[in-house]
Every structure is written in structure tokens, then in C-alpha cells.
Amino acid sequence: MARAHWGCCPWLVLLCACAWGHTKPVDLGGQDVRNCSTNPPYLPVTVVNTTMSLTALRQQMQTQNLSAYIIPGTDAHMNEYIGQHDERRAWITGFTGSAGTAVVTMKKAAVWTDSRYWTQAERQMDCNWELHKEVGTTSIVTWLLTEIPAGGRVGFDPFLLSIDTWESYDLALQGSNRQLVSITTNLVDLVWGSERPPVPNQPIYALQEAFTGSTWQEKVSGVRSQMQKHQKVPTAVLLSALEETAWLFNLRASDIPYNPFFYSYTLLTDSSIRLFANKSRFSSETLSYLNSSCTGPMCVQIEDYSQVRDSIQAYSLGDVRIWIGTSYTMYGIYEMIPKEKLVTDTYSPVMMTKAVKNSKEQALLKASHVRDAVAVIRYLVWLEKNVPKGTVDEFSGAEIVDKFRGEEQFSSGPSFETISASGLNAALAHYSPTKELNRKLSSDEMYLLDSGGQYWDGTTDITRTVHWGTPSAFQKEAYTRVLIGNIDLSRLIFPAATSGRMVEAFARRALWDAGLNYGHGTGHGIGNFLCVHEWPVGFQSNNIAMAKGMFTSIEPGYYKDGEFGIRLEDVALVVEAKTKYPGSYLTFEVVSFVPYDRNLIDVSLLSPEHLQYLNRYYQTIREKVGPELQRRQLLEEFEWLQQHTEPLAARAPDTASWASVLVVSTLAILGWSV
């Protein structure tokens, strides 16, 4: 599960939000723990004193003649996770939640965030800050109009506002006699100064050809072909999302938590290639790999990352047309391109091409899921032995599964912060434990594990829910209905080019039948050693239509507040379906290979078709994972796998009861005493 958006806080329960991310804190409820009316005010020990930093920021605002300054919680590339170097809003406010916007005027300071973060914000922000328990530009602008005078100037860093966000502020302020002012030098950075964490400088490296679906030259040629076929015939494509440049050149690094990216932009024209990054991070071998010593159409010229804005502006002076994906382009780039020279789509051609994996990429991603299944099975076996001892908690468990993944071939760390949730914590759909705050795992409670790995050949994400004791009838029913939803969507046959949103309800139908539901999305795309939440694939309204070669997660769930949570998540490949009559139809091929918990399945709720599907899936797990366990002499895990993939049989009517009725009836007919 996962589009991440985060910060971390050692004292607070963490929750990540769907659509998707894995590390967002959850609101704990209750009153504001601050009391700013007393002298001195009462504040939790966890608050950050921001008086000096706010004073310094207001001095910078004065130099720019600003009445207010907007500080989003984003970076310049709309990354799901952001590096410490970009945590400006967290530094100036003390509030480390991933969702929220801060605004500072000459007299006041305020943060807007949603209900998941209210308690966290109250426990981290001092009395310099107001907390507004709502989101959206409308409420922020309403506040600004009351706090700053007519003629006031509202400053912002154009690299931290998306095109859509900028347009919403601009539209709301029109006619108000307040001006929105783009300032390219970030004022928080000036105040942060030498305390600001440095920009990462680890080497940028090329993936080995064995782990790529195509060479970068083939990818560049493919994008240029799309440029030529476009009705507006753009002369260049501008790539702003880090995953786009990483994918295009088969390059990776470690600038962003959980994502193997590096700070970069790409301007691909019909006759040149410009990669904006820190050149000192490229080895001579990598520069040679990119043909950077020449200047032809297949030579990658490395330019300084900070020069992208000036370079785009200079390029825009010519007879050009620049193709951008508006979803990942920030206003700081957008404002440099004359509107008549823009070619816009929601997603860039690279984002669209990357969404469909070729046959080699499919094979690579499948292989990574086999090894990932080994790590998860090792963990489940380890839990069965150690949970009854009372020695495992949510955090130590998360460390163990991460350790097992780290021992797998081609491992490059987790793909998000592991969700390891026991009992009532699992009812928080994306809870993650901390070393300081966690629960013991118990044989008497449900346990939910949502975790994933980054491997050189693929990215993984899988969720399993287990119970080692005696689950209640309701727990078994809820689990089985979630399982049915997973199966119903996984085995669905649907017309090609169908939107994921159109079929998403199949994952919910079994829950709806019983008056149950879940409040998060049903799935997201996934990459080849890229994003664990890879857009634009998925089941939301703003995802693109399903096509052969896409990978998506399928992850229905159910959450009983204060008691337990269930989620069953698999990654599946979109493949052609075999139908009775000719036609273009699709279905899913599940590539996650860990069995579900037999202890929680109520077989009586499963139809013959569900059982057939499930047993066929279990046979596939045996065929894919069994040999790997044997090859590595993981004999205990192999035996566990064999036991947990035994074919499930339909439960006949209660034969004992029917037999008793038959015996009693027979005896009565014979006149015998009963």
C-alpha cells in the first residue's frame, strides 16, 4: 500500500496515507495539549521553539517587501518522500507531518493540515503557530485576506508550488488587491543557513544492462518518435519528476528516502540531450556510458542542476515547443516558458511509457517478487516460533523483516517504512511503529504486515494479515470477505482500455454485501527499482486506463476501530484474457507469492470459483517459491510453505448434524427409544 507524503516523530503513532504513502502520523484525538493563554504557556516537551527562526524569516520577508510567505511541505519534484535537505516547513514550524502548509505574516504564523496530523502538530508546534484544522488553498487565502492589508504581497518559492496549486492561489487572490510574488531564492533556506542538511552527494550510477528493459538510447529514440507523431510536433520534452530521468537513462542514486533517485531535470530535444544534475557525482565510467564527451543527438550533456531555469528560458527564445506533464512540473519551470510555446498533457510521454513494462521488465519484476516472497515467508515462520515467547514487538518485528529482505540477492533496502501493526493498531490503516512506541505481538491478536523491498530488478509491496490463536467468527468473516474481494478483482476479465476506477468496486462487493467497507484506495502502480507507488497506474479516477504490461497492487481491507485491521495486498500484472469469443480483453496475473492465513479463512463463504482460483494460486506459489527455498536449504520454510498451500476443500453442510437427524428419525420410525 502506499503515495507517501512524510515525517517522523519518535513519540507519536505513525500513519501513512493512501494514494499513497507509508509513514504518515495519525491523529490521536483529544484536546489541544498546548495552553498558550498562561504565563508562561504550558507546552509539551516535544514542541520546538521557533521564535528566533520566525524573527529571522520576517527580516528576510521585509527585504522582499512581503506581507506573507507561503511554505509548502513539498520539494521541487513532488516526490512522495522528501529528503532532509528539503524539509523546510518541518524546520520552520517544528511540525514534521508530511501533509500541511505553513504561512507566515509579519504578525502571525499558521499551519493548515488534515485530521491525521492535528494531535501531532499540537505536540510539536509552539505558541507562535496557529493550527487550522482544514486543508486547501481556499481556507488559506481567506485567512490571508483578513491578515494582510490591501496592496500586500504574498511571496512563495515557485519551485515548491505545482502548476495547479499556483493557479488556485492566483485565482483566489484575483481582484483582492493582493499580489502573488514568485521569489526563486527560498527565504527559509536563507534563515536555515549552515544548519540545513547538505544536498546528497553519493555517486550516481548506471544500472547493469541485466536489470534494464531497454538501453537509454532506445528509450530516447522512443520518446523522440512520440514527439514526431504528436499533432503539435514538440521540439523538446522537459522531465521534472526524478523517476522520469532515472528511468530514461537507467541511472540510480539514493537522494530520496526509499526511492533510488537523484536530483535532476532532463531537457530532451529533437537534436540534443541535456541532463541537469551535479556533474561531480558521475564517475568517468558513467560519463562515458552517457556519451557525455560528444555533442551529437545521442550525447548526454551534463549541466548544473541549478541552471535549469535559466537554460529553459534561453531555449524558449527560439522557435520551439516544449512538451511537459503538468502533474509533475512546478511553477518555477512553467513560468519560464511562454504559453504559446507550451505543449501540455497531464503526464509526460516518459511517465506514460514507463507505466507499461516490456517483456524483459516484466520478467525482472516477477523475479524480484519470488525472492521477496522468500524473505516474507522466512519472517512468518520466525514469527510463529517467537511470538508465543512474548519477545516480539511491532518495531523489532519490522526490523527482522527488513533484515531478511536485506539478505536477498540484489537488495537495495526497503521500498517504504514497514507497517507492522498488532491488534487495535492495525485498525489504523497505515500505522508504523517506532522504537519508543509499539505493541507486543500476541497470539491472541491479529497482526498486519505491509512491507516492501527495493531490488535492482524490481520494487515490491505486499500485505498479509495473520492470527496465531483463535480468531472470532467476525474476524474470520471479515478476513474472508477481504480475501474474496482480492480474488474477485484479480480474476476479473474486462475490456481493454478500461479505467481502473470502473472495476474497483469488485474488490469491495463482498464487503458491501455484509455492510462493510474500507476507506483507502484499492491499488497503485509499481516500478522496476523505482517508485513503490508508481503513477499513473491504479484504480483512482485520475489514473490512466489499464493496458497490457502494467503492474498494479490489489489491496482491499477492513478496519474495526479500536480492535483489529485486515488488508491483503498483492501486486498483479495486466495480461490478455482468454475469452470464449474473439475480443480485446484483459485480466490480472498475480506476482506476489505468499499464501494467505488459513486460520482466518472461512471456507464456507467461498464459492467453487473462489476455491478453484485459490488452489491454482497456491500451486503457483509452490512452483515459484518452493524450488528457491529448497535451493537455499531453507527446509523449515519449505515445509511451512507446503503446509500453508495445501489445497482448500469446500466445506460441506454440517455432516455431523445431518447424520444425527438421520439417526434420530430412523430410530423414531422403528419405534426405538431415543
Side-chain angles (χ1 to χ4, degrees), residues 51 104 108 116 201 203 234 333 347 427 463 500 563 581 628 637 662:
T51 300
V104 177
K108 289 187 178 182
R116 293 165 297 167
N201 61 1
I333 298 293
Y347 301 106
T463 308
E563 294 186 25
Y581 300 105
E628 182 68 11
E637 286 79 3
L662 180 61

Side-chain angles (χ1 to χ4, degrees), residues 12 25-34 95 112-125 131-135:
L12 187 65
V26 64
D27 172 52
L28 298 181
Q31 300 298 313
D32 191 333
V33 294
R34 303 176 299 173
F95 166 52
W112 284 257
T113 191
D114 62 58
S115 60
R116 293 165 297 167
Y117 301 98
W118 294 345
T119 296
Q120 179 179 359
E122 290 161 356
R123 295 184 180 184
Q124 290 183 309
M125 298 192 308
L131 174 61
H132 291 260
K133 298 182 176 182
E134 52 192 334
V135 293

Side-chain angles (χ1 to χ4, degrees), residues 45-242:
V45 296
T46 47
V47 303
V48 175
N49 188 330
T50 64
T51 300
M52 291 181 63
S53 57
L54 276 173
T55 299
L57 177 60
R58 286 176 172 132
Q59 290 172 351
Q60 293 294 336
M61 291 167 59
Q62 282 183 317
T63 66
Q64 299 284 343
N65 191 26
L66 298 179
S67 304
Y69 190 61
I70 300 171
I71 309 164
T74 58
D75 68 6
H77 303 275
M78 294 187 69
N79 282 306
E80 177 178 2
Y81 305 99
I82 64 173
Q84 292 181 341
H85 178 78
D86 289 315
E87 292 178 346
R88 298 176 178 91
R89 194 221 56 225
W91 182 80
I92 196 69
T93 66
F95 166 52
T96 59
S98 61
T101 300
V103 180
V104 177
T105 69
M106 298 308 294
K107 295 182 178 180
K108 289 187 178 182
V111 165
W112 284 257
T113 191
D114 62 58
S115 60
R116 293 165 297 167
Y117 301 98
W118 294 345
T119 296
Q120 179 179 359
E122 290 161 356
R123 295 184 180 184
Q124 290 183 309
M125 298 192 308
D126 64 13
C127 291
N128 288 309
W129 294 91
E130 299 176 359
L131 174 61
H132 291 260
K133 298 182 176 182
E134 52 192 334
V135 293
T137 56
T138 301
S139 58
I140 294 175
V141 171
T142 300
W143 183 83
L144 281 170
L145 293 177
T146 63
E147 295 297 332
I148 63 175
R153 288 160 46 93
V154 181
F156 70 99
D157 181 339
F159 283 96
L160 298 183
L161 289 189
S162 68
I163 297 171
D164 287 346
T165 303
W166 171 81
E167 287 180 341
S168 65
Y169 278 114
D170 185 60
L171 182 63
L173 286 170
Q174 284 180 10
S176 69
N177 196 20
R178 277 86 168 174
Q179 182 183 1
L180 199 57
V181 183
S182 171
I183 302 173
T184 56
T185 300
N186 190 283
L187 303 188
V188 174
D189 292 351
L190 295 178
V191 176
W192 207 347
S194 60
E195 294 182 10
R196 186 184 181 200
V199 177
N201 61 1
Q202 297 92 339
I204 297 169
Y205 61 93
L207 279 176
Q208 297 176 27
E209 188 174 341
F211 301 111
T212 64
S214 308
T215 65
W216 69 259
Q217 292 92 340
E218 291 170 334
K219 294 179 178 180
V220 164
S221 296
V223 175
R224 282 177 171 157
S225 176
Q226 292 185 58
M227 292 163 57
Q228 294 167 3
K229 295 175 182 177
H230 196 288
Q231 63 179 7
K232 295 185 178 180
V233 195
T235 61
V237 171
L238 174 63
L239 306 178
S240 294
L242 301 188

Side-chain angles (χ1 to χ4, degrees), residues 542-554:
N542 52 352
N543 290 136
I544 60 176
M546 291 289 177
K548 177 184 174 183
M550 292 179 174
F551 282 85
T552 181
S553 70
I554 295 175

